[in-house]
Amino acid sequence: GNSVTQMEGPVTLSEEAFLTINCTYTATGYPSLFWYVQYPGEGLQLLLKATKADDKGSNKGFEATYRKETTSFHLEKGSVQVSDSAVYFCALSAQGAQKLVFGQGTRLTINP
Amino acid sequence: GAVVSQHPSWVICKSGTSVKIECRSLDFQATTMFWYRQFPKQSLMLMATSNEGSKATYEQGVEKDKFLINHASLTLSTLTVTSAHPEDSSFYICSATLAGAASYNEQFFGPGTRLTVL
């Protein structure tokens, strides 16, 4: 079946550090890939997405590239801020499907 | 736009009682709503998919008689945990897709409901 694996947290960084959160997936066909973010006390929000191979999703300084050859969708940001502290979820939806399959989430804490 | 609310945000109940959780799309019509369950430090697990006016589709292993889902309108879905037991204690999250959304059907998530069964 379809599955998503992301790096375990928690991840703690200093402000302005470079961030990478790894995400790999298993799926048949051509899934769509997503990163969701959950700020404290709030619901999940879509951060970025990519719907086909080699697409790069970007938003708020975050980027992730859909790599079919390595079945990966790693999240990166060049310079993190304290306000980026949240839980990040990698997810996929199978081709033609509505359902989302989530990774286990990675808690990110940024210290000033 | 695309705000989803849940009520209540937290509830404590006695074992054997039933609890109803509401999920509302506040500023849009939702053709489909999803219910998830999240255990501490674990991922979201899809429980069921509900479409307005039809029966919910439950994921394998989810008891449909225990977790009753009603999607009576395009802005409201309810999850009722019947005869709740301590093992039902969890964080329940709903999401909704926008009617007429793009092909990838972005889901908009509610803030979740923390259920504790004593």
Side-chain angles (χ1 to χ4, degrees):
Chain A
N2 300 328
S3 66
V4 175
T5 303
Q6 58 183 105
M7 65 185 286
E8 287 198 29
V11 174
T12 302
L13 297 172
S14 297
E15 206 165 19
E16 300 184 1
F18 184 87
L19 168 71
T20 300
I21 301 178
N22 289 337
C23 171
T24 57
Y25 68 89
T26 301
T28 55
Y30 297 89
S32 295
L33 302 175
F34 307 85
W35 277 100
Y36 281 84
V37 58
Q38 185 176 31
Y39 298 105
E42 299 183 19
L44 276 74
Q45 302 172 25
L46 179 65
L47 180 60
L48 54 83
K49 69 182 188 299
T51 57
K52 61 183 187 294
D54 300 324
D55 266 2
K56 178 186 284 188
S58 61
N59 186 25
K60 299 182 181 180
F62 291 89
E63 292 183 340
T65 301
Y66 188 144
R67 302 283 189 201
K68 189 156 180 66
E69 63 275 15
T70 54
T71 62
S72 65
F73 193 55
H74 304 322
L75 182 68
E76 296 182 336
K77 185 173 185 180
S79 177
V80 292
Q81 306 299 313
V82 172
S83 57
D84 294 327
S85 299
V87 181
Y88 293 80
F89 292 91
C90 185
L92 70 81
S93 65
Q95 192 173 3
Q98 286 185 309
K99 295 192 291 188
L100 286 170
V101 176
F102 285 90
Q104 66 268 42
T106 301
R107 181 173 298 278
L108 173 66
T109 300
I110 307 300
N111 294 320
Chain B
V3 178
V4 175
S5 70
Q6 283 184 240
H7 178 78
S9 55
W10 60 270
V11 57
I12 301 173
C13 70
K14 293 182 178 179
S15 187
T17 60
S18 295
V19 174
K20 180 185 285 188
I21 302 170
E22 291 185 349
C23 176
R24 294 183 184 272
S25 56
L26 297 185
D27 51 2
F28 67 101
Q29 292 187 324
T31 48
T32 304
M33 289 185 169
F34 302 86
W35 285 96
Y36 296 85
R37 185 172 177 177
Q38 185 179 26
F39 293 99
K41 299 184 179 181
Q42 293 189 30
S43 185
L44 282 74
M45 181 190 74
L46 180 65
M47 299 174 66
T49 303
S50 80
N51 293 293
E52 185 262 341
S54 62
K55 288 185 179 180
T57 302
Y58 290 81
E59 295 299 300
Q60 192 173 9
V62 178
E63 298 176 60
K64 60 183 66 176
D65 293 332
K66 179 163 190 63
F67 298 100
L68 301 179
I69 292 172
N70 183 277
H71 193 161
S73 77
L74 284 173
T75 59
L76 173 65
S77 177
T78 60
L79 168 68
T80 301
V81 183
T82 62
S83 187
H85 287 92
E87 58 265 30
D88 298 324
S89 299
S90 192
F91 196 55
Y92 293 88
I93 301 172
C94 74
S95 71
T97 56
L98 189 62
S103 60
Y104 63 86
N105 283 334
E106 180 179 350
Q107 293 186 25
F108 300 94
F109 286 81
T113 297
R114 172 78 58 196
L115 170 63
T116 301
V117 184
L118 302 177

